[in-house]
Amino acid sequence: MAKKREPPSIKELPDTFLDHETYGYPRTFDPNFKGPVAKRSCTDVLCCIIFILFIIAYILLGLVAWVHGDPRRVAYPTDSKGHFCGQKGTPNENKTILFYFNLFSCTSPSVVVNLQCPTTQICVSKCPEKFLTYMEIQFMYRTNKHYWMYYSQFCKSPFVKPAKTVTQVLLDDDCPIAIFPSKPFLQRCFPDFTTKNGTLTVGNKTIFEDGSGKKRNAIELRRAANRVNKILDARAIGMKVFEDYATTWYWILIGLTIAMLLSWLFVILLRFTAGFLFWVFMVGVIGIIGYGIWHCYQEHSNLQGRPNSHLTIYDIGFQTDISMYFQLKQTWFAFMIILCLLEVFIILMLIFLRERIRISIALLKEGSKAIGYLPTTLIYPVLTFIFLSICIAYWAVTAIYLATSGVPIYKVISPERTCKHENTTCNPEIFNTTEIARVCPGAQCNFAFYGGKSLYHQYVPTFQMFNLFVFLWLINFIIALGQCALAGAFASYYWALKKPDDIPQYPVFTAFGRAIRYHTGSLAFGSLILALIQMFKLVLEYLDHRLKEAQNNISKFLQCCLKCCFWCLEKMVKFFNRNAYVMIAIYGKNFCRSARDAFNLLMRNVLKVAVMDKVTDFVLILGKILVAGCIGVLAFLLFTHRLPMMIEGPTSLNYYWVPLLTVIIGSYLVAHGFFSVYAMCIDTIFICFCEDLERNDGSREKPYFIAPTLHGTLNKMQLVPQKQKE
C-alpha cells in the first residue's frame, strides 16, 4: 500500500509559483526578506474608490440633513399648534414648559413624550401649584379677581373674566376645566405625586374634583397617565444619580488616573519581571474574586431573618429603584454562585495550561521589549479614541437632524376614539370650520410629528439606515487602520536583526503613512465585510423587538440560532481580519491575498496558535480584570466608608454602586486601551515568528530573527526546529 505523501518543508520547496501554491505556502519566497516591504503599490483600488464615494455621500447627507433638520424640535417641547416652548424671539420665549389640559386623556408615557396625547397642549411659564376647577374660579372671581388672573395663564388666550359655562369651555377647548399641583419634568408639567404613610397623594390630597363634577383620586390620575409614574420615579432616580456623580466626580477621575498608571506600570514591569508579574496577575485575580465571594456570603447571611428578604426577583418584578434587588437573599446568592464558577474556571485553566504559560511569559517579555523600544505605540490608542469620537459625534448629529427633518404634521385626535376620521391629516387653522369638527364633536387637530411628502422626506428612513451603515463601516475602518499601523511598527521591530540599531526611525508614523497611502482599499474591504455582518445583526435585533409579541416558539428558536450564527461569524471575521492586516502591514498585498496567506500560515502552525497566541490572550484578559478589580475594590471600600482610618470618602451617597460601576468599567476600558496595544504586539510577533521559522534555519546565512531567550524557551517545548545548520 502506497504511503501518503507528506507536504515538504518550505525550505525544501523549489522557488516556483506552482509548488508553493500546491502546498498552500506563500506565492513567492524571498530568502533576503528583512521585514516590512518598502516598495509597495496601492491595493484594492476599486474598494478604495467605493469607500471614498461613500464618505462623500455621507458628508453630503449630513449637509442635506443640516439644511432640512431642526434640532430645536428635540430641545424644545412643541404645543398643539406646532410652536416651540421657550424659543427665543417668539411669544413663547418665557414659556418654557408644556402644559396638558386634561392629563386623564393621556394613556401612556410614550404618547406624552411624543406629544400625541389627545388633549390640548400649551406653553406656560410655570406649572400649577394648587387645586382649582373652572367652576370654583367662577365663584371666587366675584370676591377676588386675583384667582382668575392666576387660572387664566393656563388658558389658550387671555380672558377678561370667566363668563363661559363649563360646557362651552369643553366645546371651545379654551381653558382646562381643572388644574392640579404639578412639577416640571422633561420641560412638561406632570402631577406632583407623593406618598404619605403608604398612601398616594397629589398636593397632599387623595380625593379631588376633576372639574366636570366627578370625584377623582390620586390613583386614578396615576392610572390615567398609565406608566407616567415610572417616568416620575425615573426622575427621582436620575436626580439621585446626578447628585452622586456631582459628589464623586473627582474620585472617579482619581480612580481612572490610578488605573492608567497601574496599566502603564504593568507594561513596564512585564519587560523585566514577566514571570513574577504573571503570578501576581493570577493571585490577584483569584484573591479579588475570592473577596467578592466572601462579601456576597456576608451580605446573604446578614439578610437572614429580615422581612421580605426571602422574596425572589420574579416576585418583586421590574423596579426602577435598583437598591431593592440588593435587599433580597437571592440576588447575593446568585452573585456568589457566578463568582464561584468563575473562580473554579480560572483555577482549572491554570492547572491545565501550566506548561503553556511558560511560553506565554516568554512572549510577554518579548512584547514588553518591543513596546519599550517603540513607546509611541502606547499613545496611538489616544489617536484612535479621537477618530472614534469624531465618527460617533457626526453620526449622532446627522441622526438628530434627519429625525427632525420636515414640517409639522397635524392629526385628528378624538378623546373617545370613536371618530371615523381619527389620525387623518388636518389643518389647525381651518379645522373648526371643516366637516370633521361637526361630525366628531370634541375632536381636535393637534400636532403629531414632523414629516412631509417630498422625495427627501419619503426617504428619511432610508437615509437613517445609510447613516448607520456608513457609521459602522467607518468605525471598523478606524480600528483596522490602528491594527495595521501598529502591526507595521512591531513587524519593523521583529525583523531588525540588531535591536534597536536596525529599527527604522519613527516606525509608528511610517507604518501609519504606508497604511493610509497604499492600503486604504484593503482596510476598507475588511471593515466592509464586518460592517455588513453587524448591520444584519442590528436588523435581526430590530425585527425581534418589533415582532416580539407575534412570535411563536419556533420563530424564537430560529431567531436565536441566527443570532448565534452571526455572533460566531462576526468573531471569526474579526480574527481573520486582524491577522490579514498584519500580513498587509508586512507584505503590502491586497486583502484577499493577505487573508489567504494568514489563514494558511496559521493552519500550518495550528499547534503554535493554540499553545502560544491564545494562552497569551487569556493572560492579558486576566491583567485587565486585575486592574479593574484592584481599582474596584478600593472604590468599594472608599464609597462604603470602610477606610475611615486611612482616607475619608464621599458622604451621603444615594447609590454607592453608581460611581463604583463607573470606576470599574472606566478602569477596564483604560486597561483595555493599553493591553490592546500589547495584544496587537503579541499577534504581530507571533505571525512574524511563524514566518521566521519557515524562511530561516538558524544558520549563519539564514539566522533567526527571534530573540535568543524566546527561542530557547520554544526549543525546550519542541516548537522550533532543534537541529540547525551551521
Side-chain angles (χ1 to χ4, degrees):
M1 185 175 180
K3 293 180 64 177
K4 184 179 179 180
R5 183 186 178 190
E6 296 292 334
S9 167
I10 193 169
K11 303 180 185 68
E12 300 172 357
L13 288 173
D15 191 17
T16 61
F17 174 86
L18 180 61
D19 287 336
H20 282 72
E21 285 295 297
T22 302
Y23 295 103
Y25 292 111
R27 287 176 178 267
T28 57
F29 178 72
D30 182 9
N32 298 319
F33 178 78
K34 300 296 181 184
V37 177
K39 295 182 179 180
R40 299 172 182 242
S41 59
C42 295
T43 56
D44 295 305
V45 178
L46 179 61
C47 193
C48 179
I49 295 173
I50 295 174
F51 182 61
I52 293 174
L53 291 176
F54 265 76
I55 292 178
I56 294 174
Y58 196 34
I59 295 173
L60 293 176
L61 175 62
L63 294 175
V64 173
W66 181 76
V67 171
H68 290 84
D70 190 352
R72 294 177 303 174
R73 297 165 183 171
V74 177
Y76 301 106
T78 311
D79 65 11
S80 298
K81 302 301 181 183
H83 302 142
F84 296 123
C85 297
Q87 182 183 356
K88 293 183 178 180
T90 65
N92 292 331
E93 181 175 358
N94 297 322
K95 299 178 180 180
T96 59
I97 308 171
L98 192 68
F99 173 72
Y100 299 90
F101 271 23
N102 185 8
L103 197 59
F104 285 102
S105 301
C106 305
T107 58
S108 69
S110 61
V111 170
V112 175
V113 174
N114 291 329
L115 306 174
Q116 296 180 19
C117 182
T119 186
T120 301
Q121 304 143 35
I122 64 172
C123 301
V124 296
S125 57
K126 63 178 181 180
C127 294
E129 300 170 348
K130 60 183 72 172
F131 282 104
L132 283 175
T133 65
Y134 185 79
M135 294 177 65
E136 291 174 344
I137 286 297
Q138 286 183 314
F139 288 107
M140 293 177 180
Y141 176 76
R142 300 171 185 175
T143 58
N144 191 341
K145 296 182 179 181
H146 174 73
Y147 288 105
W148 173 246
M149 293 178 60
Y150 175 80
Y151 195 90
S152 63
Q153 65 181 321
F154 303 108
C155 296
K156 287 199 292 188
S157 56
F159 296 93
V160 177
K161 58 181 180 179
K164 292 185 177 182
T165 63
V166 175
T167 305
Q168 288 176 319
V169 169
L170 286 172
L171 290 176
D172 298 339
D173 205 31
D174 291 326
C175 296
I177 58 175
I179 58 175
F180 315 107
S182 306
K183 286 186 177 180
F185 174 56
L186 297 177
Q187 294 181 280
R188 293 161 176 84
C189 290
F190 287 112
D192 185 15
F193 291 113
T194 56
T195 303
K196 288 190 176 182
N197 299 324
T199 303
L200 184 68
T201 64
V202 177
N204 296 324
K205 286 187 178 183
T206 56
I207 299 176
F208 48 86
E209 291 188 4
D210 65 355
S212 62
K214 296 181 181 178
K215 292 287 186 179
R216 301 274 192 167
N217 57 46
I219 297 177
E220 286 183 275
L221 181 59
R222 200 165 199 175
R223 189 183 300 119
N226 201 357
R227 298 180 181 176
V228 174
N229 61 321
K230 293 190 179 296
I231 296 181
L232 298 174
D233 291 340
R235 173 188 63 178
I237 297 290
M239 290 300 297
K240 290 179 180 179
V241 169
F242 179 78
E243 291 173 0
D244 289 342
Y245 277 127
T247 305
T248 60
W249 65 269
Y250 53 92
W251 290 108
I252 294 174
L253 290 180
I254 291 173
L256 297 180
T257 303
I258 295 175
M260 181 185 68
L261 296 176
L262 190 61
S263 301
W264 214 320
L265 180 64
F266 281 164
V267 170
I268 295 173
L269 292 179
L270 277 171
R271 180 178 179 183
F272 304 102
T273 58
F276 172 77
L277 204 59
F278 168 78
W279 292 112
V280 170
F281 281 1
M282 299 301 104
V283 175
V285 171
I286 293 173
I288 289 172
I289 297 176
Y291 174 79
I293 295 172
W294 176 81
H295 178 73
C296 292
Y297 175 76
Q298 288 291 109
E299 293 290 340
H300 183 271
S301 300
N302 293 336
L303 290 174
Q304 292 286 354
R306 290 191 182 183
N308 299 327
S309 63
H310 64 282
L311 296 176
T312 64
I313 297 176
Y314 178 79
D315 292 333
I316 66 173
F318 175 76
Q319 298 291 332
T320 54
D321 187 0
I322 301 179
S323 61
M324 293 184 63
Y325 295 109
F326 296 114
Q327 299 173 13
L328 304 178
K329 291 192 298 182
Q330 186 189 57
T331 302
W332 294 106
F333 183 75
F335 285 159
M336 184 170 62
I337 294 298
I338 293 172
L339 291 177
C340 286
L341 292 175
L342 184 60
E343 186 91 325
V344 171
F345 172 76
I346 292 176
I347 292 174
L348 290 177
M349 289 289 288
L350 291 177
I351 293 174
F352 289 107
L353 299 178
R354 61 186 183 276
E355 292 297 329
R356 301 177 182 181
I357 286 173
R358 293 173 54 197
I359 305 174
S360 177
I361 292 173
L363 270 177
L364 289 173
K365 288 182 179 180
E366 190 66 18
S368 298
K369 192 183 298 182
I371 293 176
Y373 287 133
L374 309 174
T376 52
T377 54
L378 292 177
I379 305 175
Y380 191 87
V382 178
L383 184 62
T384 301
F385 174 78
I386 293 173
F387 286 155
L388 292 177
S389 300
I390 294 173
C391 286
I392 293 172
Y394 186 85
W395 166 77
V397 171
T398 303
I400 291 174
Y401 272 92
L402 284 173
T404 57
S405 298
V407 295
I409 301 298
Y410 301 88
K411 296 285 187 179
V412 175
I413 297 177
S414 175
E416 302 298 330
R417 304 286 179 183
T418 56
C419 180
K420 64 179 181 180
H421 300 286
E422 184 80 23
N423 289 327
T424 58
T425 306
C426 58
N427 186 347
E429 301 296 333
I430 60 173
F431 178 73
N432 291 331
T433 62
T434 61
E435 182 69 15
I436 299 176
R438 188 183 63 83
V439 175
C440 303
Q444 301 171 15
C445 182
N446 283 358
F447 167 79
F449 56 88
Y450 292 98
K453 297 182 179 180
S454 66
L455 185 64
Y456 168 78
H457 295 110
Q458 292 176 4
Y459 283 94
V460 164
T462 305
F463 293 150
Q464 287 283 23
M465 296 289 289
F466 179 80
N467 180 33
L468 178 61
F469 173 72
V470 181
F471 166 72
L472 294 175
W473 195 357
L474 285 173
I475 290 294
N476 287 296
F477 176 81
I478 291 170
I479 295 174
L481 178 61
Q483 292 174 346
C484 189
L486 291 174
F490 290 125
S492 64
Y493 158 82
Y494 183 93
W495 296 106
L497 189 59
K498 296 180 180 180
K499 303 176 179 63
D501 298 336
D502 292 345
I503 299 177
Q505 289 186 334
Y506 313 113
V508 178
F509 178 79
T510 303
F512 179 82
R514 278 201 305 260
I516 288 290
R517 181 178 178 182
Y518 297 109
H519 308 304
T520 296
S522 298
L523 301 180
F525 192 6
S527 55
L528 173 62
I529 298 173
L530 199 54
L532 289 172
I533 296 173
Q534 292 170 346
M535 196 69 183
F536 278 119
K537 286 180 61 181
L538 292 175
V539 171
L540 282 176
E541 291 291 341
Y542 175 77
L543 293 176
D544 182 36
H545 177 73
R546 292 299 300 268
L547 304 176
K548 185 171 293 184
E549 297 181 357
Q551 288 179 345
N552 53 34
N553 293 331
I554 297 177
S555 62
K556 289 180 180 179
F557 173 75
L558 293 176
Q559 197 145 25
C560 288
C561 291
L562 284 174
K563 289 181 181 178
C564 181
C565 291
F566 274 101
W567 182 84
C568 295
L569 181 61
E570 182 183 7
K571 295 297 181 183
M572 184 178 65
V573 170
K574 282 184 177 180
F575 174 76
F576 286 124
N577 280 9
R578 187 182 180 90
N579 291 286
Y581 299 148
V582 176
M583 299 298 282
I584 290 172
I586 297 174
Y587 295 105
K589 304 299 181 183
N590 61 46
F591 177 80
C592 294
R593 172 86 175 269
S594 300
R596 185 202 62 185
D597 291 346
F599 177 78
N600 291 335
L601 181 65
L602 294 176
M603 289 300 101
R604 294 195 301 270
N605 298 273
V606 65
L607 179 62
K608 297 184 182 69
V609 173
V611 173
M612 298 171 61
D613 199 32
K614 297 299 112 184
V615 177
T616 307
D617 288 344
F618 172 70
V619 174
L620 293 179
I621 290 175
L622 292 181
K624 299 173 192 177
I625 295 175
L626 178 61
V627 172
C630 289
I631 304 301
V633 170
L634 291 176
F636 172 75
L637 297 176
L638 180 67
F639 294 145
T640 55
H641 310 289
R642 305 195 183 193
L643 292 175
M645 302 299 295
M646 299 176 59
I647 186 171
E648 184 177 356
T651 58
S652 66
L653 289 178
N654 298 297
Y655 308 111
Y656 72 85
W657 50 266
V658 171
L660 176 62
L661 289 179
T662 303
V663 169
I664 292 175
I665 296 173
S667 300
Y668 184 86
L669 293 177
V670 169
H672 177 74
F674 282 90
F675 285 102
S676 63
V677 175
Y678 221 110
M680 198 67 218
C681 176
I682 298 299
D683 289 345
T684 305
I685 289 177
F686 174 74
I687 287 183
C688 292
F689 159 71
C690 294
E691 285 283 310
D692 191 10
L693 292 184
E694 292 186 350
R695 290 180 174 278
N696 304 302
D697 54 15
S699 62
R700 294 181 179 178
E701 294 78 13
K702 295 182 179 180
Y704 287 128
F705 286 80
I706 187 174
T709 53
L710 180 60
H711 182 271
T713 303
L714 299 177
N715 191 32
K716 292 179 183 178
M717 300 294 295
Q718 297 183 352
L719 293 175
V720 295
Q722 294 182 341
K723 294 182 179 180
Q724 302 171 7
K725 297 178 182 179
E726 296 296 334

